[in-house]
DNA sequence: ACATATCTCTGACTGTAGTCAGACATCTGG
DNA sequence: CCAGATGTCTGACTACAGTCAGAGATATGT
């Protein structure tokens, strides 16, 4: 069977058996949409804005769902003191109880599915689903060009800096942040890209103009996502953006402690070149013709 | 992470990503229900009755869906000559074309999911999904006690005989079929059980009375389902039926060429005993105290 | 031949999901 | 302080999925 045939066969049998159960709102008498929202709020209280983002809902629709949950006494909505246009949502104690009930039902359903299997089969299924989960997540990460001042970009860069600070023997202190720096990473001369999964940035990197060539900056991949091919994918994406910006050469610097990054650049066809800047943290320099 | 946590995590991320895509069958401008129906008819033309059964639809709803597909010129509905209350449904040539288009879109979507993955990752994902598919199917197989003259039972036995005929060096010819034989495999003295998946029997076996003990007969597991633990599960089920019939001993015979069956009986706690019948095809005899 | 069962179809509903266009409140940069 | 941007909410819709109660045609057993 071909790859796609396996995937399609799995999809068919899985959604028919498990997905169908999911739809039945878990027998709570509450519509699926409300339950999904309730579950999401329970996982971590948030502003309506974040909820909209995470669940991909229309603002009017979300408002109505919140109103329904509020009417049932399950959630409390209050203005955000920091910005009173925004609203904070959190579960009431009745809501928390209902949330736990949903948890319980969901757990029960999972158990019922596993119950006919032997211990060995459960282990096999669990392992297989774990692998499939990682790879499906990896395959559906979306690469988005964002403004360098956006929350996603800031988080990606902050985590990049934090990682360097941890990896470098004497720590890492980024240059003071400037508006010019931001401008260099947005159109028409550059771009910043984040890989988003479940509304969280899991990788990021920028491309900018640097002396008649493109330079790739601040590439970072979340620790839990190493080995999922995300770095190479992001690198290829940044290269194609560089091409789109009119460049035929792309260069970058990195540090000797970042072994996996160096290996990745080697694999991706980059040549080692002489130092081309005075970045005190850089020890290795790479270049590639597009 | 516990087994259920892995399953639930997978379910969440999978349905969010792939399930969501599945709904977008709307890429065709046709509602999901109509597409599902069209797909089902394309897979094998049928009476409305069968379609209702297979898809679990209300008769009024199905009628309306058919009317819509008919209006689009995709299906033809005609009275069944054998029973003119019934109606036969089949695709028109335009319908067949649309069906192929659905196939193409589905294939494309599967490809798009796999596309970001490297070749090695695809292999890993495909293997994982293959294992998961088998086990999820196995876990949701339903064991049903059926009459030995029913279509399911007949199919299970016929395939059992066919397999023996293929495996035995000199073939296999079953004893002439008798009504007594059927009666021995139904209440109050026996039972015949089939494992059903997607409306097809995938395993089967009977238990009957044999000289103050229960005897398990004609146990068969579909070739594609070996290794899914279905045999052991069916065996345990038959043992519990034997207990319900008032027996404390269960025995069975088998042939030396059926190595996996023999291994299964050993694992299930059966002891090898002397020949207790004159079945010319039997070479190994087992017994177990319940 | 007749009562009864079976099968399909139509009309009349309900509930859920989701979209879109503003109204209104609040924040932010100049 | 004001203009424009941002965030939330309401009203008015649409589409889809599904249910239920008969009506009417056709088969079946006695």
């Amino acid at each position: 069977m071909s790859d796609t045939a396996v995937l399609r066969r799995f999809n068919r049998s899985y959604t028919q058996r498990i997905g169908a159960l999911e739809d039945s709102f878990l027998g709570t008498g509450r519509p699926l949409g409300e339950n999904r929202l309730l579950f999401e709020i329970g996982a971590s209280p948030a502003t309506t804005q974040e909820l909209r983002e995470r669940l991909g809902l229309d603002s009017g629709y979300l408002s109505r769902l919140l109103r329904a949950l509020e009417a049932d006494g399950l959630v409390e909505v209050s203005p955000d003191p920091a910005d009173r246009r925004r609203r904070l949502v959190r579960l009431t104690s009745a809501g928390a109880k209902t949330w736990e009930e949903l948890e319980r039902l969901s757990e029960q359903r999972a158990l019922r599915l596993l119950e006919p299997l032997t211990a060995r089969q459960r282990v096999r299924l669990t392992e297989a689903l774990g692998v499939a989960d990682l790879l499906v997540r990896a395959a559906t990460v979306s690469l988005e060009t964002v403004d360098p001042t956006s929350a996603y970009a800031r988080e990606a860069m902050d985590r990049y800096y934090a990682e360097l600070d941890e990896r470098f023997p004497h720590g890492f202190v980024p240059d003071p942040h400037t508006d010019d720096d931001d401008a260099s990473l947005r159109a028409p001369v550059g771009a910043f890209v984040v890989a988003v999964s479940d509304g969280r940035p899991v990788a990021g990197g920028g491309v900018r103009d640097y002396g008649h060539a493109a330079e790739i900056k601040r590439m970072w991949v979340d620790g839990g996502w190493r080995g999922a091919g995300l770095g190479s994918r992001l690198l290829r994406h940044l290269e194609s953006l560089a091409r789109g910006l009119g460049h035929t050469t792309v260069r970058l610097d990195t540090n000797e402690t970042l072994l996996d990054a160096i290996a990745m650049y080697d694999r991706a066809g980059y040549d080692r070149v002489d130092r081309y800047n005075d970045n005190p943290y850089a020890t290795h320099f790479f270049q590639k013709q597009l």
Side-chain angles (χ1 to χ4, degrees), chain A:
Chain A
M1 247 198 304
S2 74
D3 290 357
T4 52
V6 172
L7 176 61
R8 289 176 61 194
R9 179 189 165 99
F10 174 80
N11 195 44
R12 216 169 133 70
S13 65
Y14 189 80
T15 51
Q16 217 168 62
R17 285 149 225 260
I18 322 299
L21 286 172
E22 195 62 32
D23 276 1
S24 76
F25 336 148
L26 301 166
T28 56
R30 206 181 309 285
L32 179 58
E34 289 178 28
N35 273 337
R36 264 202 307 166
L37 179 56
L38 189 64
F39 192 86
E40 196 65 32
I41 297 168
S44 69
T47 63
T48 54
Q49 213 176 5
E50 287 168 331
L51 290 172
R52 240 176 40 226
E53 179 107 351
R54 292 215 296 257
L55 293 171
L57 301 174
D58 172 84
S59 79
Y61 184 32
L62 174 60
S63 180
R64 236 174 285 274
L65 287 175
L66 283 174
R67 222 53 54 231
L69 291 177
E70 215 172 17
D72 288 354
L74 301 178
V75 304
E76 262 174 11
V77 181
S78 55
D80 181 344
D83 179 344
R84 295 183 38 230
R85 287 172 304 185
R86 283 192 194 148
R87 323 215 63 192
L88 295 174
V89 186
R90 66 168 202 280
L91 298 187
T92 62
S93 64
K97 206 173 282 178
T98 307
W99 188 84
E100 276 158 30
E101 177 68 10
L102 282 178
E103 267 292 295
R104 205 183 55 73
L105 286 169
S106 176
E107 184 72 16
Q108 207 179 50
R109 220 185 33 242
L111 265 178
R112 226 190 336 263
L113 177 80
L114 293 175
E115 184 249 303
L117 298 178
T118 65
R120 249 187 40 240
Q121 289 179 317
R122 281 188 212 196
V123 170
R124 279 183 73 202
L125 179 58
T126 303
E127 282 172 1
L129 289 183
V131 169
D133 187 51
L134 179 70
L135 291 170
V136 166
R137 283 169 185 272
T140 55
V141 152
S142 72
L143 299 180
E144 297 174 17
T145 297
V146 297
D147 193 89
T149 59
S150 69
Y152 280 167
R154 288 257 54 85
E155 180 171 347
M157 292 192 217
D158 287 347
R159 294 187 61 188
Y160 169 72
Y161 294 144
E163 169 136 8
L164 293 191
D165 191 41
E166 195 184 315
R167 298 271 285 252
F168 291 176
H170 305 295
F172 174 79
V173 179
D175 284 341
H177 180 259
T178 67
D179 287 349
D180 277 0
D181 183 53
D182 285 340
S184 75
L185 289 171
R186 70 164 73 96
V189 294
F192 195 84
V193 174
V194 289
V196 180
S197 180
D198 286 323
R200 303 273 305 171
V202 296
V207 55
R208 69 173 187 186
D209 199 283
Y210 189 90
H212 303 302
E215 185 184 28
I216 284 173
K217 295 291 291 177
R218 298 176 204 165
M219 254 198 74
W220 157 80
V221 175
D222 180 289
W225 283 78
R226 304 275 158 76
L230 200 47
S232 307
R233 201 174 142 207
L234 180 58
L235 185 59
R236 280 198 305 277
H237 187 73
L238 290 172
E239 288 169 2
S240 91
L241 288 180
R243 212 168 350 218
L245 290 167
H247 296 291
T248 54
T249 306
V250 58
R251 53 172 62 151
L252 57 88
D253 64 33
T254 190
N255 182 282
E256 59 196 346
T257 63
L258 306 174
L259 295 174
D260 34 3
I262 291 174
M264 181 178 75
Y265 298 134
D266 281 334
R267 268 202 317 277
Y270 280 74
D271 298 318
R272 295 169 188 235
V273 294
D274 290 338
R275 173 180 286 275
Y276 65 79
N277 65 19
D278 56 0
N279 177 355
Y281 294 103
T283 59
H284 287 58
F285 298 81
F286 288 91
Q287 183 167 311
K288 179 182 182 179
Q289 295 302 321
L290 297 177

